[in-house]
C-alpha cells in the first residue's frame, strides 16, 4: 500500500514538472504574443511587405526557413522547406504555390512586422509571382552564387521593376566551393545595374549572413503607402478552398480596418458576406480580432464557391462605395491535354477529383471532351508542361485517381472563308485545340499559331549547338548579348507547339545542364498548318489525327506510323498504316498478316496443287481484308495518345 502511494506521489510530481516545463517553454517560444494581441495597432511605419523571387532551385524556401527560425516563427531544425506543404513540392524540390507568413523582428529596439511571401521559381507558375508582388513594396532578388543569373531571374527582376518595387539583391550558396560571388556580382551590374557593394552574400543552408538580410529589408524596403483613417478597402490577391470553411481569401488591406463580425461586399460580384474569422499565417493560422491597413490577413466569410473568390477583386464594407484597388489580367492557358479515366466506371470519381483540385488552382480550364478510343473525358488547359505534370501528380497523390493524359497540344486560330460556316458560327474566327474539329482546307482562309518570347542564358561554348536546336524548332533570333566572357543571353521568338514537349530537356542535354530557359506569351502569327490523318487499311482513325506545321508533317507522319507498327498486334489480315495529308500519303508502314502454311500437309505431288492452295489462300485474305474491321487494342491508343 505504501509503495503504491509513493508511486502515485511520484506521478503527481512528474505531471507538475511537465506542466511547469510546458509553461516555461510556451513563454520562451511565444515572445511575440503581445504583438499578436495588438496586431491591428502596429504602426504602418513598422510594417514591411516583401517577396522572395528567384530562378528555380536557387534556395528561396531554404532562405525562408532561416528567416522564420531567426524571428521565432518556427523552432530551429523544424525541417527543410517548411512553407512547401504539398507532397508534390517536397518530392520535386520546387515551390508550386506562393506561401505567405507574418513574422516579427526587433530592429533598434523597435518591433517590426514583416509579411513574407515565398514564390515559385518556375516559369509555369509566374502568375503566382505576379499576384504576390501586388501586395509587396519590395523583393529579395535571390541569385545562386554557383550558377549565377538565370533566365527566370531576368523575368522576375523585370516584374519587380515594372511595379517599381525596392530590390534587395542577395547571393546564396556562398559556402559551396564552386561559388564565384565576384563574377555573379559583375553579372548583376551588367544586366541590372546593381552596385556590387549592395549585394548581400549569404548561405541559407548554414544561416551565414541571414540576420543582415532582415536588417537590410527594414532599411531598404519602404513601409506600405496606405490610409488607416478612411473606410475599409482591400485587395484579394490569393485564395484556396477548404472543404469545411469554403473559400479562404488572402487579402492586403489598403484602407481602414476590418473586424470579425462586419459585413463585407465584393466590388465585382456585389455579394455580401459576414466576416467569420480573421487570421494571420505564422505559418500556421493564428486568429486575431482585427487587421488594419498595410497588413496581410486570411479571412473566412462563408464563401461556399471559390468561383466567387475572384483574384484581383476589391473588398469593401457593406453599402459603402469605393474605387477598385486594381485587377489582374487572367493568364490564358497555353497547353491543352485530354484527361480520361483508365476505366469508364471511374468517370464520376475522376470528375469529382478534378473539380476539387481546380478549386485550388483556378488557372486550369475545363471542357468536356470525348474520344471513341478513350471514352468520355475532359480537355484541360494549363500554363505549361510542368503545370500539367504537377496537376496530374496531385490528382494521383491527393485523390487516388488514375487518369490517362493525352499528348499536350496548343490552341490554333483559324480564319474561315466559307460564308455558310461564318453565318452558322457567328464569327469568321475559330480557335481549335482538338484536331478532330479541324475544318476542311477549302473552308479556311488563314492559319495562326501561338508564339512565345523565349530567353536563353547559356555558356558560350554551347551557343552553336543551341542555335542549331532553335533553327530546327523554327525559332527566330531577336537578339544576342554577352553577359561576360563566358555567358550569353539570347532572345528568340518561338512557336509554342515546338517547345512544349521536349525543348527544355534537349536544351539541358546539349548544355550539360548549364543553360536556362524562360518564356512568355507573344501572341499569334500567320503560319501554314495541315491536318495529319492516320489511315488503317484506307480507313481514317480520328483519334490519332494531329494538327502540325506543313514543314513537320512528313517527320511526324513517319514517327507515328513507326510507333503504330510496334504497338498494333498482328492480325489475320495485312494492315497498311498510312500518314496522310488530304489525299497525299507521306509515310507508310505495313504489318504482315498471320500466315498458315497451307501446303504443309502435301507430301510430294504436283506443283500445280501447291499453287492452287496458295492462290485460294490469297483470294481469301483479299476478301477478308475488304470486309474486316481492324481491331486496335485500347492499350495501343493509350500508348500513342498519351504523353
Amino acid at each position: 500500500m505504501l509503495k503504491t502511494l509513493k508511486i502515485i506521489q511520484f506521478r503527481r510530481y512528474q505531471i507538475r514538472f511537465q506542466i511547469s516545463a510546458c509553461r516555461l517553454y510556451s513563454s520562451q517560444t511565444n515572445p511575440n504574443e503581445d504583438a499578436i494581441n495588438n496586431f491591428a495597432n502596429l504602426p504602418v511605419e513598422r510594417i514591411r511587405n516583401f517577396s522572395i523571387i528567384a530562378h528555380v532551385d536557387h534556395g528561396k524556401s531554404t532562405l525562408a526557413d532561416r528567416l522564420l527560425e531567426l524571428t521565432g516563427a518556427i523552432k530551429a531544425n523544424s525541417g527543410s522547406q517548411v512553407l512547401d506543404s504539398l507532397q508534390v513540392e517536397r518530392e520535386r524540390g520546387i515551390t508550386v504555390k506562393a506561401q505567405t507568413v507574418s513574422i516579427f523582428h526587433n530592429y533598434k529596439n523597435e518591433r517590426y512586422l514583416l509579411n513574407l511571401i515565398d514564390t515559385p521559381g518556375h516559369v509555369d507558375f509566374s502568375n503566382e509571382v505576379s499576384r504576390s508582388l501586388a501586395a509587396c513594396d519590395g523583393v529579395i532578388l535571390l541569385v545562386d552564387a554557383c550558377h549565377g543569373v538565370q533566365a527566370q531571374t531576368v523575368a522576375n527582376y523585370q516584374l519587380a521593376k515594372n511595379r517599381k518595387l525596392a530590390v534587395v539583391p542577395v547571393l546564396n550558396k556562398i559556402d559551396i566551393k564552386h561559388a564565384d560571388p565576384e563574377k555573379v556580382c559583375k553579372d548583376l551590374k551588367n544586366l541590372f545595374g546593381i552596385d556590387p557593394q549592395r549585394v548581400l552574400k549569404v548561405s541559407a543552408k548554414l544561416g551565414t549572413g541571414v540576420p543582415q538580410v532582415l536588417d537590410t529589408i527594414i532599411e531598404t524596403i519602404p513601409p506600405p503607402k496606405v490610409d488607416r483613417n478612411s473606410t475599409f478597402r482591400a485587395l484579394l490577391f490569393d485564395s484556396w478552398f477548404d472543404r469545411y470553411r469554403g473559400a479562404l481569401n488572402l487579402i492586403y488591406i489598403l484602407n481602414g480596418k476590418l473586424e470579425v463580425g462586419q459585413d463585407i461586399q465584393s466590388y465585382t460580384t456585389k455579394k455580401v458576406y459576414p466576416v467569420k474569422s480573421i487570421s494571420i499565417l505564422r505559418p500556421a493560422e493564428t486568429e486575431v480580432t482585427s487587421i488594419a491597413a498595410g497588413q496581410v490577413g486570411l479571412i473566412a466569410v462563408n464563401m461556399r464557391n471559390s468561383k466567387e473568390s475572384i483574384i484581383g477583386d476589391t473588398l469593401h464594407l457593406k453599402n459603402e462605395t469605393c474605387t477598385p484597388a486594381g485587377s489582374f489580367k487572367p493568364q490564358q492557358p497555353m497547353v491543352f491535354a485530354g484527361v480520361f479515366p483508365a476505366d469508364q466506371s471511374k468517370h464520376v470519381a475522376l470528375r469529382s477529383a478534378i473539380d476539387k483540385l481546380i478549386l485550388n488552382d483556378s488557372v486550369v480550364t475545363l471542357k468536356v471532351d470525348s474520344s471513341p478510343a478513350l471514352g468520355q473525358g475532359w480537355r484541360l488547359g494549363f500554363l505549361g508542361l510542368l503545370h500539367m505534370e504537377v496537376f496530374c501528380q496531385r490528382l494521383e497523390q491527393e485523390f487516388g485517381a488514375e487518369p490517362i493524359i493525352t499528348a499536350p497540344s496548343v490552341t490554333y486560330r483559324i480564319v474561315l472563308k466559307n460564308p455558310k460556316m461564318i453565318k452558322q458560327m457567328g464569327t469568321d474566327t475559330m480557335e481549335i485545340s482538338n484536331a478532330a474539329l479541324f475544318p476542311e482546307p477549302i473552308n479556311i482562309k488563314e492559319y495562326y499559331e501561338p508564339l512565345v518570347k523565349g530567353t536563353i542564358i547559356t555558356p558560350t561554348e554551347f551557343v552553336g549547338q543551341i542555335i542549331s536546336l532553335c533553327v530546327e524548332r523554327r525559332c527566330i533570333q531577336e537578339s544576342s548579348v554577352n553577359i561576360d566572357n563566358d555567358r550569353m543571353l539570347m532572345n528568340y521568338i518561338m512557336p509554342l507547339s515546338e517547345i512544349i514537349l521536349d525543348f527544355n530537356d534537349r536544351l539541358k542535354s546539349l548544355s550539360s545542364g548549364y543553360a536556362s530557359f524562360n518564356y512568355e506569351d507573344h501572341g499569334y502569327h500567320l503560319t501554314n498548318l495541315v491536318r495529319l490523318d492516320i489511315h488503317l487499311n484506307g480507313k481514317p482513325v480520328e483519334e490519332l489525327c494531329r494538327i502540325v506545321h506543313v514543314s513537320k508533317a512528313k517527320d511526324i507522319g513517319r514517327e507515328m506510323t513507326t510507333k503504330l507498327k510496334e504497338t498494333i498486334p498482328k492480325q489475320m489480315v495485312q494492315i497498311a498504316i498510312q500518314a496522310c495529308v488530304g489525299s497525299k500519303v507521306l509515310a507508310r508502314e505495313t504489318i504482315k498478316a498471320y500466315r498458315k502454311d497451307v501446303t504443309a500437309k502435301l507430301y510430294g505431288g504436283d506443283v500445280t496443287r501447291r499453287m492452287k492452295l496458295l492462290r485460294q489462300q490469297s483470294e481469301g485474305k483479299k476478301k477478308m481484308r475488304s470486309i474486316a474491321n481492324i481491331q486496335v487494342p485500347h492499350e495501343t491508343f493509350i500508348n500513342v495518345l498519351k504523353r
Side-chain angles (χ1 to χ4, degrees), residues 154 252 306 387 393 423-424 558 637:
V154 178
Y252 172 53
S306 67
H387 187 205
Q393 188 172 340
K423 185 177 180 181
Q424 183 179 356
R558 285 197 190 116
F637 283 107

Side-chain angles (χ1 to χ4, degrees), residues 421-433:
M421 288 186 67
I422 294 173
K423 185 177 180 181
Q424 183 179 356
M425 296 184 61
T427 178
D428 64 343
T429 304
M430 62 185 299
E431 294 187 347
I432 291 180
S433 57

Side-chain angles (χ1 to χ4, degrees), residues 10 45 48 208 328 381 394 448 526 607:
F10 175 75
E45 294 74 22
R48 300 292 185 270
T208 308
F328 297 105
R394 290 183 67 185
Y448 292 86
L526 194 65
V607 71

Side-chain angles (χ1 to χ4, degrees), residues 339-341 343-344 347 369-378 543 634:
V339 178
F340 298 87
D343 185 347
Q344 284 297 311
H347 182 277
D369 197 6
S370 64
S371 165
L374 302 178
Q376 293 294 322
W378 306 270
E543 300 81 46
H634 183 67

Side-chain angles (χ1 to χ4, degrees), residues 548-559:
V548 298
H549 190 266
V550 66
S551 65
K552 299 283 184 176
K554 186 173 288 187
D555 293 335
I556 295 174
R558 285 197 190 116
E559 181 186 334

